[in-house]
Amino acid sequence: MSVSSRLSQVFKSADRITFDDSSRIVIISDCHRGDASWADNFARNQNIYFQALRHYYDNNFVYMELGDGDELWENKTLREIIGFHSHVFWLLSRFFHENRLYFIYGNHDMLKGNANFVKKHLYTAFDEVEQKNIPLFPNVKVHEGLVLQHRDTNCEMLLVHGHQGDTINDRLWKLGRFLVRYFWKPLELFGVNDPTRAAKNYTKKIKIEMKLIEWVKNEKKMLVAGHTHRPVFPEIGEPPYFNDGSCVHPRCMTALEIVEGNIQLVKWSVRTKSDGTLFIDREALTEPKKLCDYCR
């Protein structure tokens, strides 16, 4: 099935989430939370991510994760990932219990598309202190896509991971997982890039983006994706395809924020004061743009 057909399929079946100009939403993807080993790309940026997450929690944002939140191709169990990054899941759970969290699955956490897997691994988590399972995300639903719909303008925006229609990462994802887990993961230690991953293959990134933009043009809808790890923020008048980047850029992470009807691309990174003190800073990479201007 083509990328356009897959995206249209997801758009038609996706749950609609209404929002308005009072809403505060942050869109993040591609955290690739792992097992804290040398192969855990998230580990080097976990402090940056946690500070950003705490900022969004304290400032009443809705958190939307667009897939590949957890690295389930390189790692066999989600329990270990939750254990190593328990502080992150603790805070995500607080979002969830306040009805401020939505999960979308990607190719690297495709298992979350299985309701039985979600029930077994995400409803509860094992607490090593209490030596028992405690509620984590009880009855959570993990989506393939979501549609944000503005309450006043009916302007619609499709949120997906962006792997749809990419054969090895969509229909043949189990083959892709096998190659990554048993072949490319060991080779990464020696600096060999995995050619199946769009994030590490520039030509593949561009091809995927062109197909996503083609759907945007044909359907005249806004689209937000991750997958390629390449932030994209269009100008008014250009095809409204946005990409939130990833949490595993070298020394930084990127995100899309929707505040007061405006959308903006931001970066969180470690910076240095004049006295040598390190701090985590939020930097706007673009000027905020009115979402309704992209719907015209």
Side-chain angles (χ1 to χ4, degrees), residues 105 110-119:
Y105 63 82
M110 187 83 78
L111 284 169
K112 294 177 186 175
N114 183 309
N116 290 328
F117 177 88
V118 171
K119 182 177 181 179

mmCIF file of all heavy atoms in Angstrom, residues 105 110-119:
data_model
loop_
_atom_site.group_PDB
_atom_site.id
_atom_site.type_symbol
_atom_site.label_atom_id
_atom_site.label_comp_id
_atom_site.label_asym_id
_atom_site.label_seq_id
_atom_site.Cartn_x
_atom_site.Cartn_y
_atom_site.Cartn_z
ATOM 1 N N TYR A 105 2.109 5.103 18.361
ATOM 2 C CA TYR A 105 3.227 4.181 18.181
ATOM 3 C C TYR A 105 3.913 4.399 16.832
ATOM 4 O O TYR A 105 3.303 4.865 15.870
ATOM 5 C CB TYR A 105 2.792 2.724 18.341
ATOM 6 C CG TYR A 105 1.769 2.213 17.335
ATOM 7 C CD1 TYR A 105 2.156 1.775 16.070
ATOM 8 C CD2 TYR A 105 0.416 2.139 17.666
ATOM 9 C CE1 TYR A 105 1.227 1.300 15.162
ATOM 10 C CE2 TYR A 105 -0.522 1.656 16.771
ATOM 11 C CZ TYR A 105 -0.111 1.227 15.511
ATOM 12 O OH TYR A 105 -1.026 0.754 14.613
ATOM 13 N N MET A 110 6.243 -0.609 17.534
ATOM 14 C CA MET A 110 5.032 -1.099 16.875
ATOM 15 C C MET A 110 4.245 -2.058 17.767
ATOM 16 O O MET A 110 3.025 -2.192 17.630
ATOM 17 C CB MET A 110 5.404 -1.810 15.570
ATOM 18 C CG MET A 110 4.233 -2.225 14.705
ATOM 19 S SD MET A 110 3.617 -0.879 13.654
ATOM 20 C CE MET A 110 4.849 -0.889 12.362
ATOM 21 N N LEU A 111 4.926 -2.718 18.682
ATOM 22 C CA LEU A 111 4.239 -3.649 19.582
ATOM 23 C C LEU A 111 3.133 -2.961 20.380
ATOM 24 O O LEU A 111 2.187 -3.607 20.819
ATOM 25 C CB LEU A 111 5.247 -4.284 20.546
ATOM 26 C CG LEU A 111 6.146 -5.382 19.961
ATOM 27 C CD1 LEU A 111 7.259 -5.721 20.941
ATOM 28 C CD2 LEU A 111 5.325 -6.622 19.633
ATOM 29 N N LYS A 112 3.248 -1.655 20.570
ATOM 30 C CA LYS A 112 2.218 -0.934 21.312
ATOM 31 C C LYS A 112 0.905 -0.843 20.543
ATOM 32 O O LYS A 112 -0.106 -0.410 21.092
ATOM 33 C CB LYS A 112 2.709 0.472 21.667
ATOM 34 C CG LYS A 112 3.880 0.499 22.637
ATOM 35 C CD LYS A 112 4.326 1.930 22.870
ATOM 36 C CE LYS A 112 5.575 2.015 23.719
ATOM 37 N NZ LYS A 112 6.072 3.404 23.831
ATOM 38 N N GLY A 113 0.918 -1.240 19.284
ATOM 39 C CA GLY A 113 -0.316 -1.307 18.525
ATOM 40 C C GLY A 113 -1.144 -2.525 18.886
ATOM 41 O O GLY A 113 -2.295 -2.649 18.449
ATOM 42 N N ASN A 114 -0.577 -3.422 19.693
ATOM 43 C CA ASN A 114 -1.270 -4.625 20.146
ATOM 44 C C ASN A 114 -1.867 -4.357 21.519
ATOM 45 O O ASN A 114 -1.143 -4.103 22.485
ATOM 46 C CB ASN A 114 -0.272 -5.792 20.202
ATOM 47 C CG ASN A 114 -0.922 -7.103 20.602
ATOM 48 O OD1 ASN A 114 -1.622 -7.182 21.593
ATOM 49 N ND2 ASN A 114 -0.669 -8.143 19.813
ATOM 50 N N ALA A 115 -3.197 -4.411 21.615
ATOM 51 C CA ALA A 115 -3.878 -4.068 22.871
ATOM 52 C C ALA A 115 -3.461 -4.977 24.020
ATOM 53 O O ALA A 115 -3.358 -4.527 25.171
ATOM 54 C CB ALA A 115 -5.392 -4.127 22.671
ATOM 55 N N ASN A 116 -3.198 -6.253 23.736
ATOM 56 C CA ASN A 116 -2.780 -7.181 24.793
ATOM 57 C C ASN A 116 -1.397 -6.821 25.326
ATOM 58 O O ASN A 116 -1.136 -6.920 26.532
ATOM 59 C CB ASN A 116 -2.793 -8.615 24.276
ATOM 60 C CG ASN A 116 -4.197 -9.143 24.043
ATOM 61 O OD1 ASN A 116 -5.131 -8.759 24.751
ATOM 62 N ND2 ASN A 116 -4.361 -9.995 23.052
ATOM 63 N N PHE A 117 -0.497 -6.408 24.424
ATOM 64 C CA PHE A 117 0.841 -5.983 24.843
ATOM 65 C C PHE A 117 0.736 -4.749 25.733
ATOM 66 O O PHE A 117 1.397 -4.658 26.778
ATOM 67 C CB PHE A 117 1.704 -5.669 23.619
ATOM 68 C CG PHE A 117 3.080 -5.162 23.953
ATOM 69 C CD1 PHE A 117 4.140 -6.035 24.151
ATOM 70 C CD2 PHE A 117 3.324 -3.789 24.089
ATOM 71 C CE1 PHE A 117 5.408 -5.574 24.469
ATOM 72 C CE2 PHE A 117 4.588 -3.313 24.414
ATOM 73 C CZ PHE A 117 5.630 -4.210 24.601
ATOM 74 N N VAL A 118 -0.090 -3.799 25.334
ATOM 75 C CA VAL A 118 -0.265 -2.572 26.113
ATOM 76 C C VAL A 118 -0.819 -2.890 27.496
ATOM 77 O O VAL A 118 -0.338 -2.362 28.512
ATOM 78 C CB VAL A 118 -1.188 -1.581 25.363
ATOM 79 C CG1 VAL A 118 -1.559 -0.403 26.252
ATOM 80 C CG2 VAL A 118 -0.506 -1.082 24.091
ATOM 81 N N LYS A 119 -1.819 -3.747 27.541
ATOM 82 C CA LYS A 119 -2.413 -4.119 28.826
ATOM 83 C C LYS A 119 -1.384 -4.764 29.746
ATOM 84 O O LYS A 119 -1.314 -4.473 30.949
ATOM 85 C CB LYS A 119 -3.584 -5.062 28.601
ATOM 86 C CG LYS A 119 -4.307 -5.469 29.875
ATOM 87 C CD LYS A 119 -5.512 -6.355 29.567
ATOM 88 C CE LYS A 119 -6.244 -6.742 30.843
ATOM 89 N NZ LYS A 119 -7.433 -7.595 30.556
#
